[in-house]
Amino acid sequence: MNKFCNITTRNELADFLKIPRKKLTHILYVKKVDNYYVSFDIPKKNGGVRRINAPIDDLKTVQKKLACALWECQKDIWQERNIIPNLSHAFEENKSIITNAQVHRNKFVLLNIDLESFFDSFHFGRVLGYFEKNRHFRLPKEVATVISQLVCYNGHLPQGAPSSPIITNMICQILDYRLLRLAKCYKLDYTRYADDLSFSTNNRAFISKMPEFMLSLLKEIKSSGFNINDKKTRLQLKDSKQKVTGLIVNKKVNVEREFNKNTKAMAHRLYSQGDFYINGNEGAVNQLEGRFAFINQLDKYNNKIDKSGRHSFRTLNSREKEYRLFLFYKYFYASNKPIIVTEGKTDIAYLKSALKNLYMKYPKLIKLDGEGTFELKISFLRRSKRFSYLFGVSADGADSMISLYRFFDSKSGDKNNYPDLYGCLEKKCNCQPRNPIIFLFDNELGNSSKPLSKFVSQVNLDDHQLCELNNELWTKLKENCNLYLATIPLPKDKNECEIEDLFQDNTLRNKINGKTFTRQNNYDTSKYYGKQLFSEYISKNYKNIDFSGFNKVLDNLNLIVDHFKM
């Protein structure tokens, strides 16, 4: 069964969602759906609180599966019947408050309407009726009833459930099409973001027609089962500040200056005092990252990167530099775990697999909980595209570690280094870096063309550090910060080696689909497979692979963590 509309019974619904039938029965009729919720309040931007009712445990899993099934069903409907995708910009793939606001950018007239008690408007009977009567579903009453039971709380769609967004958008499609038709009659652009309706135009004649438009709009909204929140109806002309879902749209789509100013002030207080506040409450680092990421998302949307796609991290705008400083603080100063920076992403897969295989020997680096889930006590730096852009490093590769090192080195001559950040935190709030940062290289110290040798040459290790690196395979790079350099042990018969050399020969000779592993970048794909596929094989089969060659590397990670805490 691969079509949602083919479901005829509760058991078939359970099978379709890949949920044990007994579990579905238990949720519905034994424990009962309303007992699977936790409720809490979150503050609104303009005062007051918003009540969130969030599902837990098995019900949350069921709702997620149902939401995914409905989303796939909706895409099939659009494709098969050539229907225009949702006009909603909320809870949709590749849409956001930014795409919603962009439609209304630089318009003479902007009208914002708010629907009253939006989620409460979707009561049990309305949800049941939709799945039972909508021509794209027409589900039997038993199935429509079960779905409604699974997605409703206290008789309504709850704000906080993963199934509510897709269902509200599906039910609102008729309203959206009606309002789009009405908007076209008045030469207006229309979008909806959940309960926020926005209309805009450059047609100055609309002002005189607005009373007539509002009567028609009210009629359509009421006939669709909603009411307008009159207190939030806003008409904004071009010579005033125009906002759509909290974003300024007079020219470019942007946040209010106060938001950016406050975010910057919060970050500077964090660096100087060790804490910051949002709306009077102590803030968390993740909240601040969300604010920076949102501002940065708008910068990206407004084409801050030049058209060629090339850039220099030395020419970032001021907001990007603030974001970079925050990320430096988060990852390299305030990380709650030791950070390992590897040459490539396959190295991460190898080390994680080795830790899972040898977890009993390295309790400081990894633990296994009572449910059989591994929890790493170290973390690996993942160089996302945005991180790479902001720090001027490649998404992969060892040369980027030299670029990262410059941010730690006050002697590098680089104006973008942050050694003063450490001193500032230590003096003003008696803070120290929380964990070590470990640059881990392949052992190729004797080859001047290889990454480790280049790095050592660039950072000018003294004789003592070189001796430690050769003999102990690790050394502290700078006395006044938390940065360490480590490499892997050399096999007895080699003068240099890569991390793959730590595997046993029988592992390296393993064939996949008749192909042999190669470390070369350019190879005959009919005969060989590369590092990515090899790392996937290691990750899947970590229980049965001999990782004894990794013991020295993991021992040294232990030693570095202990050394840092001394």
Side-chain angles (χ1 to χ4, degrees):
M1 203 167 40
N2 57 11
K3 291 292 184 180
F4 204 98
C5 56
N6 290 338
I7 302 169
T8 60
T9 66
R10 183 179 75 237
N11 284 337
E12 286 182 358
L13 176 65
D15 296 342
F16 178 73
L17 297 177
K18 297 181 180 179
I19 302 164
R21 295 179 178 184
K22 289 183 178 180
K23 180 176 287 188
L24 183 58
T25 300
H26 182 82
I27 292 171
L28 291 169
Y29 307 117
V30 180
K31 186 172 181 178
K32 298 186 179 179
V33 170
D34 283 359
N35 293 318
Y36 281 92
Y37 281 87
V38 292
S39 300
F40 53 92
D41 296 326
I42 59 174
K44 294 182 179 179
K45 289 183 179 179
N46 300 321
V49 296
R50 176 177 286 108
R51 190 67 169 173
I52 301 297
N53 299 300
I56 59 174
D57 303 330
D58 290 337
L59 179 61
K60 184 177 182 180
T61 301
V62 171
Q63 289 183 346
K64 283 183 176 180
K65 289 185 175 182
L66 180 60
C68 289
L70 288 171
W71 174 242
E72 291 302 319
C73 179
Q74 181 169 258
K75 289 193 289 188
D76 288 342
I77 292 170
W78 290 342
Q79 185 174 0
E80 290 174 10
R81 308 203 176 194
N82 197 28
I83 295 175
I84 299 172
N86 281 352
L87 295 166
S88 170
H89 287 255
F91 324 125
E92 296 282 350
E93 284 185 356
N94 303 316
K95 291 186 179 181
S96 65
I97 63 172
I98 298 175
T99 60
N100 183 65
Q102 176 67 19
V103 175
H104 307 286
R105 185 180 64 84
N106 200 24
K107 297 293 181 66
F108 178 71
V109 179
L110 172 61
L111 175 65
N112 289 315
I113 305 290
D114 187 81
L115 299 180
E116 192 172 50
S117 303
F118 182 67
F119 280 92
D120 286 345
S121 300
F122 300 91
H123 52 75
F124 183 92
R126 187 173 189 180
V127 176
L128 172 65
Y130 176 79
F131 286 109
E132 193 176 12
K133 298 177 182 178
N134 182 273
R135 66 191 180 96
H136 299 307
F137 289 92
R138 291 181 179 151
L139 298 176
K141 191 175 187 69
E142 177 190 358
V143 179
T145 299
V146 169
I147 291 175
S148 302
Q149 289 174 319
L150 289 171
V151 301
C152 288
Y153 173 67
N154 286 340
H156 299 85
L157 286 182
Q159 189 167 0
S163 50
S164 294
I166 180 65
I167 294 174
T168 60
N169 275 349
M170 295 180 88
I171 294 177
C172 281
Q173 282 188 30
I174 295 176
L175 169 67
D176 286 332
Y177 293 142
R178 289 176 178 175
L179 295 188
L180 178 62
R181 185 167 58 246
L182 176 63
K184 286 182 176 180
C185 291
Y186 288 86
K187 299 179 180 179
L188 298 168
D189 288 316
Y190 163 69
T191 62
R192 180 177 62 82
Y193 191 92
D195 56 352
D196 289 321
L197 315 180
S198 297
F199 302 87
S200 63
T201 183
N202 281 318
N203 181 16
R204 295 170 182 257
F206 173 72
I207 298 295
S208 61
K209 297 179 181 179
M210 185 174 165
E212 173 189 319
F213 169 77
M214 289 299 296
L215 286 174
S216 299
L217 178 65
L218 180 61
K219 180 180 177 181
E220 292 288 4
I221 288 175
K222 281 188 172 293
S223 68
S224 297
F226 299 98
N227 290 303
I228 292 177
N229 185 345
D230 294 324
K231 294 180 181 179
K232 294 188 177 181
T233 298
R234 303 173 305 282
L235 178 66
Q236 304 160 62
L237 300 181
K238 191 175 182 65
D239 56 358
S240 63
K241 183 188 290 185
Q242 294 178 316
K243 293 172 64 176
V244 175
T245 49
L247 296 176
I248 307 299
V249 294
N250 291 76
K251 293 183 179 179
K252 292 183 177 180
V253 179
N254 216 334
V255 294
E256 292 195 68
R257 289 183 181 179
E258 199 67 18
F259 182 88
N260 185 57
K261 180 180 177 182
N262 288 343
T263 301
K264 183 178 178 180
M266 291 172 191
H268 284 197
R269 178 182 168 90
L270 177 64
Y271 309 148
S272 62
Q273 303 295 326
D275 61 13
F276 68 96
Y277 293 84
I278 298 178
N279 298 326
N281 299 313
E282 187 169 353
V285 170
N286 286 344
Q287 289 177 288
L288 192 51
E289 181 174 18
R291 294 172 72 101
F292 273 117
F294 180 64
I295 294 169
N296 187 251
Q297 186 180 6
L298 284 166
D299 279 345
K300 287 172 62 181
Y301 200 83
N302 288 323
N303 298 317
K304 290 295 182 182
I305 300 176
D306 67 52
K307 293 180 181 179
S308 69
R310 297 186 298 272
H311 67 275
S312 168
F313 74 96
R314 302 174 192 276
T315 58
L316 301 178
N317 66 36
S318 60
R319 301 204 295 195
E320 288 172 327
K321 289 179 180 179
E322 288 290 339
Y323 188 21
R324 182 179 63 189
L325 176 58
F326 169 79
L327 290 179
F328 181 89
Y329 170 84
K330 177 190 174 183
Y331 288 117
F332 303 127
Y333 193 96
S335 172
N336 59 7
K337 295 180 180 180
I339 298 281
I340 315 298
V341 184
T342 61
E343 292 190 41
K345 59 185 178 181
T346 54
D347 298 3
I348 297 174
Y350 303 150
L351 291 166
K352 283 184 176 180
S353 298
L355 282 168
K356 286 193 279 188
N357 181 281
L358 303 169
Y359 74 94
M360 294 185 69
K361 189 175 179 180
Y362 298 100
K364 294 180 183 178
L365 305 179
I366 190 172
K367 73 174 183 179
L368 183 66
D369 64 23
E371 297 181 356
T373 302
F374 287 106
E375 179 188 341
L376 286 172
K377 295 184 179 182
I378 59 174
S379 134
F380 296 91
L381 180 68
R382 293 192 176 275
R383 287 164 276 193
S384 65
K385 288 183 179 179
R386 203 58 190 162
F387 181 92
S388 301
Y389 167 75
L390 291 171
F391 283 86
V393 301
S394 59
D396 200 8
D399 288 345
S400 63
M401 293 199 220
I402 296 174
S403 298
L404 282 177
Y405 177 80
R406 294 194 182 108
F407 289 93
F408 292 85
D409 185 17
S410 59
K411 298 179 182 179
S412 67
D414 190 334
K415 295 180 180 179
N416 295 295
N417 65 68
Y418 298 133
D420 291 342
L421 176 64
Y422 288 81
C424 180
L425 286 162
E426 289 168 10
K427 290 176 183 177
K428 292 189 176 182
C429 59
N430 196 30
C431 290
Q432 296 287 335
R434 293 181 186 173
N435 280 291
I437 310 300
I438 306 167
F439 285 4
L440 181 63
F441 284 87
D442 289 338
N443 196 331
E444 299 162 325
L445 192 58
N447 190 330
S448 61
S449 65
K450 293 299 177 72
L452 178 58
S453 184
K454 288 181 180 179
F455 183 85
V456 167
S457 176
Q458 286 286 329
V459 303
N460 296 317
L461 294 187
D462 61 31
D463 291 340
H464 175 70
Q465 289 173 313
L466 279 170
C467 182
E468 282 189 328
L469 187 61
N470 275 299
N471 296 326
E472 305 301 327
L473 303 180
W474 67 273
T475 187
K476 189 170 185 179
L477 279 170
K478 298 178 69 64
E479 285 302 320
N480 62 340
C481 74
N482 55 338
L483 195 58
Y484 290 80
L485 173 64
T487 187
I488 62 176
L490 285 171
K492 292 181 180 179
D493 58 338
K494 288 181 176 288
N495 295 320
E496 62 180 59
C497 70
E498 299 175 335
I499 194 169
E500 286 83 8
D501 290 308
L502 301 182
F503 290 105
Q504 301 299 312
D505 287 342
N506 64 325
T507 302
L508 294 170
R509 289 196 298 264
N510 178 70
K511 289 193 174 184
I512 299 177
N513 296 327
K515 299 178 184 179
T516 305
F517 171 58
T518 179
R519 306 180 205 190
Q520 303 300 317
N521 291 325
N522 298 314
Y523 55 88
D524 184 346
T525 56
S526 66
K527 296 180 179 179
Y528 303 100
Y529 65 89
K531 290 185 178 182
Q532 181 58 41
L533 191 57
F534 182 68
S535 69
E536 292 172 6
Y537 165 76
I538 296 296
S539 297
K540 291 177 182 177
N541 298 278
Y542 72 89
K543 292 182 180 180
N544 304 314
I545 290 173
D546 185 349
F547 284 99
S548 57
F550 284 77
N551 278 318
K552 182 61 176 175
V553 179
L554 301 181
D555 288 342
N556 283 346
L557 294 183
N558 255 340
L559 289 171
I560 292 172
V561 172
D562 288 341
H563 182 272
F564 175 78
K565 292 179 179 178
M566 289 174 56

